[in-house]
Amino acid sequence: MCGIVGYAGPRRAVPVLLEGLKRLEYRGYDSAGIAIGDEGRLAVVKRVGKIAVLRNAVPKELPGSWGIGHTRWATHGGVTEANAHPHLDSSGKVAVVHNGIIENYRALRNMLEREGVCFASETDSEVIPHLVARYYEGDLEQAVKAALSHLEGTYGIAVVHADEPGRIIGARNGSPLVVGVGSGEMFLASDVTAMIAHTKQVVYLSDGEVVAIDPSGFRTTDRDDRPVAKKVDEVAWELGSIEKGDFACYMEKEIFEQPESVARALGGRLESAEATAKLGGLNLDRRQLRQVGRVRVIAAGTSWHAGLVGAQLLESMARIPASAELASELRYRNPVVEKDSLWFAVSQSGETADTLYALREIQRKGGTVLGICNVVGSTIARESDGGIYVHSGPEIAVASTKAFTSQLAAFYLFTLLMARMRDLSHAEGAHFSAALAGVPGKIAETLRCRDLVQALAKKYARSENFLFLGRGLMYPIALEGALKLKEISYAHAEGCAAGEIKHGPIALVAPEVPSIFLVPDDELREKTISNMREIKARGGPVIAVGVEGDAEVAAIADDFVPTPRMDPRFYPFTMVVPLQLFAYFVALELGRDIDQPRNLAKSVTVE
Ligand code: M6R
């Protein structure tokens, strides 16, 4: 949530910052602003709305070759120009952009007000520039360090002072910050996407670290001024992977990338000779893996749905008791951390506060937590005890699609590995492994339903309520279909276990409420068909996502979306695709802002 960018170098800073902010817009898009330094003063421009509004407001030739920018997702204080960042001290010489939440800001604000400081906003962030000014004696880095000693909570900050040309001080505690190393120029951002057009050489800051950059380089220290040596990493992906190409929006692009992204997640990890999987990053040897008595998954949103699939699969195939839980719930209920449990924290961004704090709580109690993350170098990836990168490539749309199927791939690989150490035979392992290797091709076949799903979306787009129903592995897929639809179309959608509808949700069934059923040809097919008939008998329209050639299901449903026939354990990969497309086309039909839906942001770094 919220994006930070900073630049110091020989170029005009305005275009660099605006371009960086545009690339960060997916992280928050309520309001935005920049502070540009030039000849002993800071020019600050802020606007409510998206980056395009800010761009129009910035004077075309605004000079200055260093500065900071921010795109906001409001937490403390409404969406107003005054609350937009950067925030200034009373003299207008110190400017700060901040991601995170300062928990003790009330007390700090009271203290500063007693000292005569007047505040211009309702935000928690504004205490920072005033504190920096309070300590400033000609050295911005030292003043920032003194200010940090007062702060409780989370922050990623970038700070400039009008009297220190070309200098930007960054600090991190719980909110990501990355330094970009250019040639004669330096960048600072909350996310590498903001700087990838200029440099692929990056330095990921850790919590408690402070960085001072100027065009000639950077220096990292801890808050007590002790030097910290940092390694420069190379970003592994190209600028093209964060551009829309020929697609209308990122969500559509990311849905259609899934054959390749899942292939990347599987790449080099299937060992056909041994009919097992190879997962180098787990940091657990065979003996430790064999001792795992229980697997527990923590995550939020779409990542939780992937965890629900993973837990079912692990239990049924590897015969390990497994469950998936919402991280936001687990953290505060003092969970029992059994000695033989292996935990997974699943997160596309690797920055989700709920998941991160739950991870820390489990580790504090002695648990081993593996990460399943997409963003390399993210906090969850770094703080976990090992893990699996899913290699989806950057996911920009707020609605997660390709990360979900890649997270599934990670769970399927892990299940194969664990099952082969237990009861699964070589022949069964080889069959599973071949089917898994075939998944990217099956997703590509499924994507051919695009036009059919678009027509269905046109037919049903005006419905205000939807039910998504499935059993077994299809229950989490029903939850995911409902989440996708509500996130980007704003229609009310509920995902239910199909067997549960008679316990309540069936009361919602009416001619104007479509029910979307997931009907694979698995052992639960007959039961699911009975549930479809129950809905039909009560006048509810039924859309069935089923298996090609299933004439019975096609005949019962009002509309039928066929997907390729496959080993039933793998339908989560394919049957989610028509649901992603359905959400996308309904939102398109309703004219929604698909990549940046209202009230949401890509990575949720607040609780
Ligand atoms: O980055 P994470 O996977 O940890 O994010 C978790 C959820 O915030 C995320 O999946 C959210 O539900 C998406 N917007 C779903 O499309």
Side-chain angles (χ1 to χ4, degrees):
M1 343 216 63
C2 305
I4 286 177
V5 61
Y7 173 74
R11 296 189 251 177
R12 266 183 66 235
V14 166
V16 180
L17 294 183
L18 289 176
E19 183 211 341
L21 287 178
K22 185 71 200 150
R23 294 198 191 279
L24 290 177
E25 196 171 33
Y26 73 111
R27 295 182 68 102
Y29 32 84
D30 296 339
S31 52
I34 54 172
I36 306 286
D38 188 41
E39 299 194 344
R41 57 178 287 276
L42 296 176
V44 177
V45 186
K46 309 200 269 190
R47 285 295 180 274
V48 167
K50 295 203 171 190
I51 305 304
V53 180
L54 177 69
R55 186 184 292 277
N56 287 334
V58 176
K60 290 282 163 294
E61 298 307 322
L62 189 66
S65 59
W66 52 284
I68 53 178
H70 189 265
T71 175
R72 177 170 188 245
W73 187 87
T75 54
H76 289 65
V79 181
T80 63
E81 210 163 288
N83 289 339
H85 302 217
H87 291 290
L88 299 175
D89 75 315
S90 308
S91 72
K93 290 212 158 194
V94 179
V96 173
V97 290
H98 166 228
N99 288 352
I101 292 183
I102 304 304
E103 283 160 9
N104 61 336
Y105 85 100
R106 266 273 143 237
L108 293 172
R109 187 171 172 139
N110 290 343
M111 174 188 91
L112 289 160
E113 280 175 340
R114 276 197 303 276
E115 292 175 4
V117 172
C118 288
F119 277 74
S121 78
E122 305 155 327
T123 64
D124 55 329
S125 310
E126 198 192 337
V127 297
I128 306 173
H130 293 300
L131 282 171
V132 173
R134 187 179 194 248
Y135 289 106
Y136 188 72
E137 288 175 353
D139 184 339
L140 183 59
E141 187 179 347
Q142 294 312 319
V144 168
K145 284 175 180 162
L148 294 182
S149 68
H150 289 272
L151 303 184
E152 287 168 19
T154 55
Y155 52 81
I157 55 170
V159 189
V160 290
H161 195 292
D163 294 340
E164 299 199 17
R167 234 170 153 226
I168 305 175
I169 308 299
R172 170 191 165 134
N173 186 46
S175 202
L177 214 52
V178 192
V179 178
V181 182
S183 159
E185 58 184 358
M186 294 291 293
F187 304 82
L188 187 65
S190 50
D191 178 331
V192 287
T193 51
M195 54 176 91
I196 185 77
H198 308 290
T199 180
K200 291 174 95 181
Q201 309 295 312
V202 298
V203 177
Y204 297 99
L205 294 189
S206 298
D207 282 351
E209 291 176 355
V210 177
V211 66
I213 69 170
D214 63 34
S216 67
F218 70 99
R219 189 177 89 93
T220 34
T221 51
D222 65 14
R223 284 181 297 224
D224 297 323
D225 221 22
R226 287 181 292 247
V228 177
K230 300 294 289 183
K231 153 168 137 320
V232 179
D233 285 315
E234 167 121 7
V235 178
W237 41 270
E238 301 296 329
L239 181 61
S241 57
I242 54 167
E243 311 228 292
K244 276 193 281 232
D246 294 335
F247 289 95
C249 65
Y250 282 108
M251 183 180 181
E252 188 189 10
K253 176 183 182 236
E254 288 159 8
I255 291 172
F256 280 89
E257 269 173 20
Q258 289 177 105
E260 298 88 60
S261 53
V262 171
R264 267 200 308 276
L266 298 174
R269 287 169 164 172
L270 285 170
E271 266 205 356
S272 46
E274 299 298 328
T276 186
K278 193 171 55 189
L279 291 167
L282 299 181
N283 297 338
L284 295 171
D285 61 28
R286 276 191 200 176
R287 194 182 49 82
Q288 289 168 311
L289 285 171
R290 244 184 252 109
Q291 279 167 358
V292 171
R294 184 178 291 272
V295 170
R296 300 180 68 179
V297 183
I298 48 164
T302 289
S303 298
W304 175 57
H305 299 154
L308 289 170
V309 173
Q312 273 196 47
L313 192 79
L314 267 159
E315 193 152 305
S316 64
M317 268 194 66
R319 308 303 299 151
I320 304 172
S323 58
E325 190 173 344
L326 290 169
S328 54
E329 286 296 312
L330 178 119
R331 182 188 175 202
Y332 289 108
R333 64 167 184 74
N334 195 15
V336 175
V337 177
E338 308 98 338
K339 283 205 168 40
D340 63 345
S341 280
L342 179 62
W343 296 75
F344 278 96
V346 187
S347 175
Q348 185 285 132
S349 61
E351 302 294 347
T352 299
D354 291 320
T355 310
L356 176 64
Y357 297 154
L359 171 151
R360 288 178 181 159
E361 181 69 15
I362 295 156
Q363 285 179 331
R364 188 175 300 120
K365 292 183 165 146
T368 300
V369 189
L370 302 182
I372 294 184
C373 294
N374 186 34
V375 178
V376 175
S378 57
T379 311
I380 292 175
R382 286 189 293 150
E383 292 200 15
S384 48
D385 299 293
I388 308 171
Y389 275 122
V390 300
H391 301 307
S392 307
E395 190 181 66
I396 308 288
V398 164
S400 182
T401 53
K402 64 175 181 172
F404 175 72
T405 42
S406 297
Q407 289 164 346
L408 292 183
F411 276 116
Y412 277 65
L413 287 164
F414 182 71
T415 300
L416 176 61
L417 175 71
M418 295 299 271
R420 285 285 290 129
M421 287 182 180
R422 293 172 180 234
D423 292 335
L424 200 73
S425 70
H426 186 283
E428 289 166 325
H431 175 77
F432 185 88
S433 172
L436 186 52
V439 162
K442 295 288 185 186
I443 296 177
E445 277 180 54
T446 310
L447 283 165
R448 291 189 204 132
C449 70
R450 179 192 188 281
D451 294 350
L452 169 61
V453 175
Q454 182 164 23
L456 290 179
K458 276 189 199 299
K459 179 173 169 185
Y460 291 104
R462 308 285 151 190
S463 306
E464 288 175 3
N465 297 287
F466 291 83
L467 291 171
F468 286 77
L469 301 142
R471 284 169 172 264
L473 288 171
M474 290 299 117
Y475 169 43
I477 302 305
L479 294 176
E480 175 60 7
L483 178 64
K484 281 297 83 93
L485 185 66
K486 69 185 133 191
E487 256 187 308
I488 58 167
S489 76
Y490 319 146
H492 169 242
E494 266 193 51
C496 305
E500 274 295 297
I501 50 169
K502 56 189 176 296
H503 300 294
I506 201 163
L508 298 173
V509 170
E512 65 279 10
V513 181
S515 291
I516 301 177
F517 271 89
L518 297 154
V519 202
D521 53 352
D522 59 8
E523 73 276 16
L524 297 169
R525 177 175 168 278
E526 299 308 321
K527 304 266 180 223
T528 310
I529 289 177
S530 301
N531 299 135
M532 280 172 65
R533 289 190 196 282
E534 286 158 13
I535 302 267
K536 287 293 296 174
R538 287 161 181 82
V542 166
I543 305 167
V545 174
V547 179
E548 60 195 357
D550 192 335
E552 186 186 0
V553 169
I556 300 167
D558 297 277
D559 294 287
F560 181 65
V561 182
T563 64
R565 189 174 296 279
M566 57 204 292
D567 176 328
R569 292 171 294 188
F570 294 85
Y571 283 122
F573 286 101
T574 50
M575 290 204 172
V576 75
V577 171
L579 306 191
Q580 296 168 339
L581 287 169
F582 186 73
Y584 169 69
F585 283 121
V586 168
L588 193 66
E589 199 59 27
L590 296 175
R592 304 298 191 220
D593 187 342
I594 293 176
D595 284 338
Q596 295 170 354
R598 72 180 179 203
N599 304 336
L600 294 173
K602 184 64 180 166
S603 70
V604 187
T605 52
V606 292
E607 273 195 277

